[in-house]
Amino acid sequence: MRAARLIKMVLLLQARPSMTASELARELEVSERTITRDAQALSEAGVPVYADRGRAGGYRLIGGYRTRLTGLARSEAEALFLSGVPGALREMGLEDAASAARLKVSAALLPSLKDASRTASQRFHLDAPAWFAEPKTPELLPAVAEAVWDDRRITARYRRQETDVERELEPYGLILKAGVWYVCARVTDPGSFRVYRIDRFTSVEPGEERFSRDEGFDLPGFWAERAAQFARSLLRARVVVRLTEAGARRLRHTVDPLSAQEALAAAGPPDDTGRVTLTLPVESYDVAYSQFLSLGPEVEVLEPSELRERFTEAAARTAAYYDRQD
């Protein structure tokens, strides 16, 4: 948000000879103290912002300074056009704004870089939804996205089991994971950060007040930590297996990769046959049964006994199919 505000501040000063701190604060919807800090940041970055003191003073750009993206290399310009995710922008209701922004960027580029948008789109396409899943855009996503961009509090009702729960939220950021939209929000009471699936919201009402964003909040870091915690919370059961060398190599493609890595690291040395025994956390025995079936003879389940019996029976049935002479 700050980067966008700084760019808008420069564009405002380009369009007018001078603007007071109060005028800029009103246009950018921030405090005059924030304008002072932003002007200093622009000056340190090489943008010639000058402050005239006194009652008739204000901020202006020295020497007819104009922003042009002439310093971009081709790879940088192409990377810029890769930053937009068309499907996600459309679902958030930002497609028109993104299109206008791309046109403005294209107009500011050097003639030799005018084809950057086309060359980037020919070489990269992001398809976010998972395979074999029909993506569905949450009806309330645009309202949540608008509140996120505007730093505006919302009152949201969402389904939790068989009841609806109402919460006052400060929506910090949106996450699109495998075709599912989430919002990371700070709950005003008790003040902690939580993650909500937007398709479970039944209503969203924007409030009149904006919230003060914690500038130290790291959305990618927060999501990575919560996602790891969620994945770990699903692994409630334990199994003991013996794997061949091929089975050990394929294990991370069959179960949770981090759990597989940790289990292999904690396992002892291979036995005389080259097989390694390890204890592995799994979601459930039913899930483990489906996962380990894909490894075939490269895995032997040792514990629990009920899971070993299921594999014994499955192996016998499979052998019977292949022994049968049709």
Side-chain angles (χ1 to χ4, degrees):
M1 293 296 292
R2 191 190 185 199
R5 187 175 70 240
L6 292 175
I7 293 173
K8 187 175 181 180
M9 182 174 176
V10 173
L11 294 175
L12 286 170
L13 293 176
Q14 280 187 186
R16 307 179 193 180
S18 177
M19 293 185 70
T20 66
S22 61
E23 290 173 336
L24 285 168
R26 185 168 56 254
E27 286 282 349
L28 299 175
E29 299 181 335
V30 295
S31 67
E32 292 187 24
R33 181 176 297 180
T34 298
I35 294 298
T36 301
R37 290 197 298 264
D38 286 351
Q40 182 178 354
L42 287 170
S43 179
E44 292 172 353
V47 178
V49 177
Y50 181 79
D52 291 315
R53 305 298 179 184
R55 179 175 298 180
Y59 291 92
R60 61 186 176 89
L61 294 174
I62 299 176
Y65 175 86
R66 310 294 294 178
T67 58
R68 285 191 62 82
L69 302 179
T70 53
L72 289 176
R74 169 166 291 278
S75 60
E76 294 171 331
E78 291 174 345
L80 179 63
F81 283 105
L82 289 180
S83 63
V85 185
L89 291 170
R90 182 173 57 254
E91 292 177 2
M92 287 188 291
L94 298 175
E95 184 177 27
D96 291 342
S99 177
R102 285 193 293 269
L103 288 172
K104 291 177 181 179
V105 171
S106 296
L109 290 173
L110 290 170
S112 60
L113 301 179
K114 293 294 186 181
D115 65 341
S117 174
R118 180 181 58 82
T119 58
S121 64
Q122 288 176 342
R123 288 164 173 81
F124 180 83
H125 174 70
L126 176 63
D127 185 8
W131 287 105
F132 312 116
E134 184 67 27
K136 184 177 181 180
T137 303
E139 182 179 346
L140 297 173
L141 175 60
V144 178
E146 184 176 355
V148 168
W149 290 115
D150 207 24
D151 292 340
R152 190 175 296 277
R153 289 190 177 95
I154 61 173
T155 301
R157 294 185 65 84
Y158 67 96
R159 295 186 301 275
R160 189 170 68 182
Q161 296 179 349
E162 301 299 325
T163 60
D164 274 9
V165 179
E166 185 174 287
R167 288 284 185 271
E168 298 290 330
L169 303 177
E170 296 176 354
Y172 264 61
L174 296 169
I175 302 106
L176 177 60
K177 170 69 171 179
V180 179
W181 283 95
Y182 300 86
V183 60
C184 169
R186 183 165 59 187
V187 184
T188 55
D189 183 17
S192 59
F193 286 96
R194 298 180 184 177
V195 176
Y196 299 88
R197 278 185 59 148
I198 298 179
D199 59 5
R200 293 179 181 168
F201 283 178
T202 58
S203 69
V204 172
E205 293 293 335
E208 295 295 329
E209 297 181 1
R210 289 183 172 86
F211 62 89
S212 298
R213 179 177 288 268
D214 180 358
E215 296 298 337
F217 179 75
D218 176 18
L219 179 61
F222 174 83
W223 172 255
E225 180 181 348
R226 285 301 176 92
Q229 290 176 356
F230 175 73
R232 289 300 184 87
S233 70
L234 297 177
L235 307 178
R236 302 185 181 94
R238 295 289 185 274
V239 298
V240 180
V241 296
R242 186 182 289 131
L243 294 164
T244 65
E245 183 178 350
R249 287 197 307 267
R250 292 165 50 188
L251 185 63
R252 67 185 183 89
H253 302 293
T254 307
V255 300
D256 175 63
L258 181 59
S259 298
Q261 178 181 341
E262 293 177 349
L264 287 168
D271 60 19
D272 295 339
T273 65
R275 297 188 299 172
V276 62
T277 301
L278 54 87
T279 301
L280 189 70
V282 294
E283 184 174 345
S284 68
Y285 295 149
D286 286 338
V287 171
Y289 178 75
S290 300
Q291 291 172 330
F292 291 143
L293 275 177
S294 66
L295 293 178
E298 310 303 331
V299 62
E300 178 189 2
V301 175
L302 304 178
E303 297 178 14
S305 57
E306 58 265 35
L307 185 58
R308 181 179 175 86
E309 289 172 2
R310 289 183 66 179
F311 275 95
T312 301
E313 179 187 356
R317 285 162 47 201
T318 302
Y321 295 148
Y322 286 94
D323 287 342
R324 189 172 57 202
Q325 299 294 326
D326 291 334

